[in-house]
Amino acid sequence: MIRLYKTKIPLLTLFIILVGMCAKAQDNLTLWYNKPAKLWTEALPVGNGRLGAMIFGDPAKELLQLNEATFWSGGPVTNNVNPGGAKALAKTREALNNEDYSLANKEVTGLQGVYTQSYLPLADINLQQEIGNANYQQYRRSLSIDKSIATVTFNADGVNYKREVIATFPGKAIVVHFTADKPASINFKVALSSQVKYSVGAVGQNSLLLKVKAPSQVDPNYVTYNKEPIKYGDSTNCKGMRAAVQIKAVNKGGSVNSDNDALVVKNADEVTLFICAATSFNGFDKCPDSEGKDELKLCNNDIQNVIKQSWTKLYNEHLKDYKQFFYRVRLDLGRSPAYQSQLPTDERLLAFSKGTKDPEFESLFFQYGRYLLISSSRPGGPPANLQGIWNNLLRAPWSSNYTININTQMNYWPAAITNLQEMEYPLFDFIKELAVTGTRTAKDFYNMRGWVAHHNTDIWAISNPVGDFGKGDPKWANWYMGAPWLCRHLFEHYLFTKDEAFLKKAYPIMKGAAEFLSDFLVEDKNGNLVTSPSFSPENDFIDGKGKEGNTSIATTMDMSIIRDHFRNCIEASEALNMDVTFRNMLKAKLAKLYPLHVGHKGNLQEWYKDWEDVDPHHRHVSQLFGLHPGREISPLTTPDFAAAAKKTLELRGDAGTGWSLAWKINFWSRLLDGDHAYKLLRDLMRDLSISKGGGLYPNLFDAHPPFQIDGNFGATSGITEMLLQSQLGEVQLLPALPTAWQTGAVTGLKARGAFTIAINWQKGTLKSAVITAEKGGKCILRTAKPIKIAGLSVRSIASKGGFVTSFATLKGTSYQIAAM
């Protein structure tokens, strides 16, 4: 597979004072509880990007729910599943030209194809440990997110027990380490099972092997009309992958023996349980059965390699690997009262929900998002899905797939800005694959060039409009702007790294998405280029005749995404000094695109016409794409449209599901209103039991509800946007600092232009900063007050909302900034 990236990361030189302040904030980066988990959303997640486990922590009946990132139902997509699609497009456009939106809603469903497949749970590891009587004391269950280890400790019958769990990337395994402070005290029985078809048996006296077969078809959880929503039969040998899980127990003292489908450990002093898994998945375009990998061989190889290492060596290598990413960014938002930081996390969350000030809890939540991204997305594997890699349901909410009308993209919003650019590599590889199937979809469904991707996709890179041939609601099933939105991640990677070699490989993919859009655009009666049909996910309008609909032309989101993508392609072409003819064509079309409009309420108009919404408080605020993640709208450059965006948010309201609240944090940050962004952060960080909308589960998973991991990632992004922005070609320090964060420091954030940033502030204003130029070139700093740069003669020039300071930088050089 051709990679679109490099792996060498330069080191950052930082102020000692900044590191010292932030190091103190790292001391409290642990989730902990004084009772076992009863629900999946109370269990604690570990992951190495491919293997994930949820740990419940019951002393006597432990459960590790296991996932493998490539374990999905189905197989490669079938080509040309709906030959009549292009005809449906023509009928839809005719209805829209006649302003018959109801008919357009009906006709556009003729473009729909099959649903995506589902991400599946792999196995349950059930462990029954003998602890004497049923009572235990001094219980603690924890997850250290700076050391990437889950721990369960308790005392039973005078013995102190400990279980430590890691998901090691170097070791390609999940490892459970059992110890006790008295010899011969460890006794347990461990068994394997699965929700899919499986068999399990012993391999020697100290190992178990689980073999499973994925279904050939799993309907989305919202499809209720099929009598057989889960199917295993497949005559083609091309659907339904195989998988294997092997566990092996290595003991010191005592004995390990197999007992049919379980392992029995008796009177051991110490035990290490090694867990490896593999699937037959061999790529998005290979039959996982007839052309699949040898999952048994892969699993056995991983087991044989990992058991050669001691627990100490395994953990040290795991920690070394993890720390190289996690410790790049440190955040200090101030001190919390001592009693608050000593509360169990579930109690701490409840207190925070009721208004307690707890800045260290906010720092913990920020870093938890980074922990989850490192744990669920690693180079060489698939991207993080709707639940990262953690799923316990055979028919998970929305198939736990890749929903690309915002959710997948939101997963990766914190990647570049919080110095985790490698974690985005799986997304880059996936976009490359999606462009292959998307090219066929563009031809088969639209008879157009380039490539297209719709509302959601899966590990097979399905790109057609979903909906089961007409059963899906067009407002989500037929939305077709996934390709350009995903492509902005490619261009953003270039902006953050200035890696021209990467951009050169990414540019053809970006161009392909632009080619489809270029073909898709048509002229309206006023000569503007518009999209037809057009949707604003996942909302409905009330047209001028009082009728409800969702199929229109030229929604604001469509036009904003196209403007964004055309500009990115133009800048990429200019940076690479190539493709002048195509660049000029895009410039000509860009000038004719239907523009932004302000509605009669002072809001940014969502639809082609100034219509009302069926749901005025809808969770999607898609018309504000140009504010975030785009760069079209800003109080600094387009104050009128920024004011309209603010009015839109006020009309929509602050309520929302988890991921919606996260997006609004980013919106308000881009509007430079830190206090409002902070209010929404606190709204998102509410215990779900007392929240009226989105919130957090006890394990701090974000609740749509149900669980969607994008809210965690979007919140981490939003916190970063409050502290640093660079989308306008400037590095803006503390652009939306809330009043609540009077004193603090952050190190290791990334800005576009290949700059690494450290910031220290006191009494709500910038005190000092360090800018490290990874590639060199001009740096434009925007600050609230004038600054000075050590060793340079510069002048801060008054500008809207503050001061701008420009200076030339040298590659690999750090510049110390101080407030004047």
Side-chain angles (χ1 to χ4, degrees):
M1 181 182 293
I2 298 175
R3 300 290 179 191
L4 295 176
Y5 44 80
K6 294 181 178 178
T7 57
K8 186 177 180 181
I9 304 298
L11 295 176
L12 172 64
T13 303
L14 299 171
F15 277 138
I16 294 176
I17 186 172
L18 291 177
V19 174
M21 288 181 66
C22 291
K24 292 180 181 178
Q26 300 284 111
D27 293 341
N28 192 29
L29 295 180
T30 299
L31 283 67
W32 76 275
Y33 307 82
N34 57 14
K35 57 183 177 293
K38 293 183 179 180
L39 303 174
W40 190 83
T41 46
E42 297 173 352
L44 293 173
V46 297
N48 65 8
R50 185 176 63 86
L51 296 177
M54 296 292 287
I55 303 152
F56 284 68
D58 189 289
K61 295 182 179 180
E62 175 65 283
L63 170 62
L64 273 70
Q65 184 263 314
L66 186 67
N67 289 100
E68 208 277 356
T70 64
F71 191 56
W72 291 65
S73 62
V77 299
T78 303
N79 295 331
N80 203 19
V81 296
N82 186 355
K87 293 181 181 179
L89 176 63
K91 292 180 180 179
T92 302
R93 285 180 165 177
E94 182 181 0
L96 290 170
N97 287 338
N98 295 328
E99 298 188 11
D100 190 340
Y101 303 108
S102 297
L103 180 60
N105 273 30
K106 178 180 178 181
E107 294 292 354
V108 79
T109 62
L111 275 162
Q112 294 174 7
V114 297
Y115 282 118
T116 70
Q117 291 300 321
S118 297
Y119 179 58
L120 304 173
L122 179 57
D124 285 344
I125 301 170
N126 290 284
L127 188 146
Q128 293 182 316
Q129 185 163 357
E130 296 178 16
I131 57 172
N133 61 53
N135 298 319
Y136 53 86
Q137 303 172 14
Q138 302 170 32
Y139 179 90
R140 181 182 171 99
R141 174 172 60 100
S142 66
L143 174 66
S144 170
I145 63 172
D146 61 329
K147 297 180 176 61
S148 187
I149 185 169
T151 306
V152 178
T153 58
F154 57 91
N155 179 281
D157 272 0
V159 180
N160 291 310
Y161 294 94
K162 178 188 283 188
R163 298 178 198 147
E164 299 165 287
V165 187
I166 61 172
T168 163
F169 181 80
K172 299 181 180 180
I174 291 174
V175 185
V176 187
H177 186 227
F178 300 80
T179 54
D181 66 353
K182 292 184 180 180
S185 296
I186 301 175
N187 296 273
F188 64 82
K189 181 178 181 180
V190 61
L192 281 167
S193 63
S194 180
Q195 295 183 52
V196 300
K197 289 186 176 181
Y198 76 96
S199 63
V200 63
V203 182
Q205 70 175 28
N206 65 344
S207 184
L208 290 178
L209 177 64
L210 176 82
K211 301 177 184 179
V212 303
K213 176 74 170 176
S216 59
Q217 169 68 35
V218 175
D219 289 345
N221 68 310
Y222 49 82
V223 171
T224 59
Y225 49 79
N226 286 334
K227 293 182 179 179
E228 191 180 4
I230 301 172
K231 299 178 182 178
Y232 282 90
D234 176 48
S235 60
T236 67
N237 292 326
C238 203
K239 295 182 184 293
M241 70 175 67
R242 305 177 306 274
V245 179
Q246 188 170 356
I247 61 175
K248 193 177 187 76
V250 176
N251 58 303
K252 292 183 179 178
S255 64
V256 179
N257 290 286
S258 60
D259 178 15
N260 296 322
D261 58 353
L263 293 180
V264 179
V265 174
K266 290 185 177 181
N267 303 323
D269 302 330
E270 179 182 341
V271 179
T272 306
L273 194 65
F274 301 92
I275 305 162
C276 291
T279 75
S280 63
F281 178 74
N282 197 22
F284 76 104
D285 55 353
K286 298 289 192 302
C287 295
D289 191 350
S290 59
E291 300 175 285
K293 292 182 178 180
D294 186 341
E295 73 285 358
L296 297 175
K297 181 178 179 181
L298 291 171
C299 193
N300 185 62
N301 286 345
D302 288 345
I303 277 285
Q304 295 306 318
N305 288 330
V306 74
I307 63 172
K308 297 175 183 177
Q309 304 178 62
S310 68
W311 161 256
T312 300
K313 182 180 179 182
L314 270 173
Y315 177 66
N316 287 340
E317 290 186 355
H318 159 70
L319 185 59
K320 180 181 178 182
D321 167 76
Y322 176 79
K323 287 173 66 174
Q324 68 174 315
F325 304 114
F326 185 83
Y327 274 89
R328 290 175 182 170
V329 172
R330 297 171 182 260
L331 177 64
D332 179 4
L333 297 176
R335 301 277 75 80
S336 299
Y339 71 89
Q340 194 67 25
S341 59
Q342 293 170 7
L343 288 174
T345 301
D346 52 343
E347 296 178 23
R348 189 176 188 181
L349 173 62
L350 192 60
F352 187 83
S353 304
K354 295 177 179 179
T356 300
K357 294 182 178 180
D358 194 348
E360 289 179 293
F361 190 49
E362 294 159 353
S363 296
L364 169 67
F365 188 60
F366 167 86
Q367 293 286 25
Y368 189 47
R370 297 182 70 246
Y371 166 84
L372 292 172
L373 187 57
I374 298 170
S375 302
S376 62
S377 184
R378 284 292 195 107
N385 61 51
L386 201 59
Q387 296 188 183
I389 54 172
W390 300 280
N391 167 41
N392 65 327
L393 298 174
L394 200 53
R395 296 179 70 196
W398 304 285
S399 302
S400 191
N401 62 18
Y402 301 107
T403 305
I404 57 175
N405 68 2
I406 184 172
N407 309 102
T408 300
Q409 292 90 337
M410 184 181 282
N411 282 1
Y412 289 94
W413 285 353
I417 56 179
T418 72
N419 217 330
L420 295 177
Q421 51 266 41
E422 296 94 335
M423 308 313 149
E424 210 167 2
Y425 297 166
L427 180 65
F428 299 155
D429 288 337
F430 184 70
I431 295 170
K432 185 171 181 284
E433 296 168 352
L434 194 58
V436 175
T437 64
T439 299
R440 295 198 295 263
T441 296
K443 177 64 176 175
D444 293 344
F445 282 77
Y446 298 95
N447 196 26
M448 294 179 186
R449 301 176 301 155
W451 71 281
V452 61
H454 292 79
H455 161 251
N456 54 29
T457 182
D458 55 23
I459 200 170
W460 311 109
I462 190 172
S463 54
N464 64 241
V466 299
D468 199 11
F469 304 103
K471 298 183 182 70
D473 193 325
K475 66 186 176 185
W476 46 266
N478 286 87
W479 184 85
Y480 48 80
M481 299 298 290
W485 194 344
L486 287 169
C487 280
R488 85 177 322 274
H489 286 263
L490 299 175
F491 190 64
E492 285 274 274
H493 183 76
Y494 165 72
L495 293 179
F496 276 97
T497 63
K498 291 299 179 180
D499 185 343
E500 288 191 8
F502 172 90
L503 184 62
K504 192 171 184 179
K505 293 177 181 178
Y507 179 74
I509 300 173
M510 296 172 60
K511 180 177 179 179
E515 286 175 329
F516 175 81
L517 296 173
S518 179
D519 283 1
F520 192 81
L521 288 166
V522 295
E523 284 193 3
D524 69 2
K525 60 184 179 182
N526 298 316
N528 293 306
L529 288 177
V530 299
T531 52
S532 176
S534 185
F535 312 91
S536 190
E538 300 168 12
N539 206 1
D540 300 277
F541 58 77
I542 302 173
D543 68 18
K545 300 176 182 178
K547 294 183 178 180
E548 296 183 5
N550 54 54
T551 307
S552 173
I553 66 171
T555 61
T556 297
M557 184 188 220
D558 271 12
M559 307 315 298
S560 296
I561 290 178
I562 295 172
R563 274 191 294 272
D564 182 74
H565 186 63
F566 281 7
R567 287 168 177 163
N568 291 344
C569 288
I570 290 166
E571 291 182 21
S573 170
E574 291 171 342
L576 296 170
N577 193 26
M578 61 182 290
D579 216 1
V580 176
T581 301
F582 188 73
R583 181 200 314 165
N584 290 336
M585 182 273 290
L586 290 183
K587 287 182 177 180
K589 287 185 178 292
L590 183 61
K592 293 182 65 178
L593 292 176
Y594 187 74
L596 297 171
H597 286 76
V598 177
H600 71 281
K601 297 177 182 177
N603 58 304
L604 194 69
Q605 195 168 296
E606 183 170 5
W607 310 98
Y608 179 66
K609 297 185 177 182
D610 195 7
W611 291 326
E612 298 290 337
D613 295 315
V614 173
D615 178 6
H617 304 295
H618 198 270
R619 62 192 178 280
H620 284 259
V621 198
S622 302
Q623 64 268 43
L624 299 191
F625 178 93
L627 176 64
H628 184 278
R631 49 180 172 151
E632 183 178 18
I633 300 173
S634 168
L636 300 175
T637 57
T638 58
D640 291 341
F641 287 132
K646 180 179 180 179
K647 186 64 175 180
T648 298
L649 289 171
E650 291 171 348
L651 291 170
R652 267 301 199 259
D654 287 344
T657 59
W659 67 263
S660 177
L661 288 170
W663 198 3
K664 290 175 182 178
I665 296 169
N666 288 270
F667 283 144
W668 284 105
S669 296
R670 287 284 177 92
L671 289 173
L672 310 181
D673 190 337
D675 285 339
H676 205 126
Y678 179 75
K679 174 190 179 299
L680 290 167
L681 175 65
R682 290 198 68 111
D683 287 349
L684 185 148
M685 293 179 65
R686 291 176 299 186
D687 188 296
L688 190 64
S689 66
I690 63 172
S691 171
K692 294 181 180 179
L696 300 180
Y697 292 105
N699 63 1
L700 303 191
F701 273 177
D702 179 79
H704 177 59
F707 167 51
Q708 282 188 200
I709 203 167
D710 43 30
N712 290 96
F713 295 141
T716 295
S717 167
I719 292 170
T720 310
E721 292 280 347
M722 295 157 81
L723 302 176
L724 177 70
Q725 294 180 25
S726 60
Q727 72 277 6
L728 301 179
E730 307 169 341
V731 178
Q732 189 170 6
L733 305 181
L734 306 178
L737 185 70
T739 305
W741 297 341
Q742 281 294 295
T743 298
V746 64
T747 66
L749 297 181
K750 289 285 188 176
R752 295 163 185 86
F755 299 108
T756 308
I757 312 295
I759 311 171
N760 176 23
W761 66 94
Q762 291 185 4
K763 297 181 180 179
T765 60
L766 175 71
K767 181 181 180 183
S768 60
V770 177
I771 313 294
T772 299
E774 310 297 350
K775 293 293 180 71
K778 187 177 182 180
C779 179
I780 303 173
L781 284 181
R782 180 176 288 273
T783 53
K785 296 180 180 179
I787 60 169
K788 56 184 178 181
I789 304 175
L792 297 182
S793 177
V794 296
R795 186 164 64 95
S796 297
I797 299 173
S799 179
K800 184 176 182 179
F803 292 81
V804 171
T805 310
S806 301
F807 60 104
T809 68
L810 298 175
K811 180 179 180 180
T813 303
S814 295
Y815 298 85
Q816 298 187 9
I817 314 297
M820 294 178 64

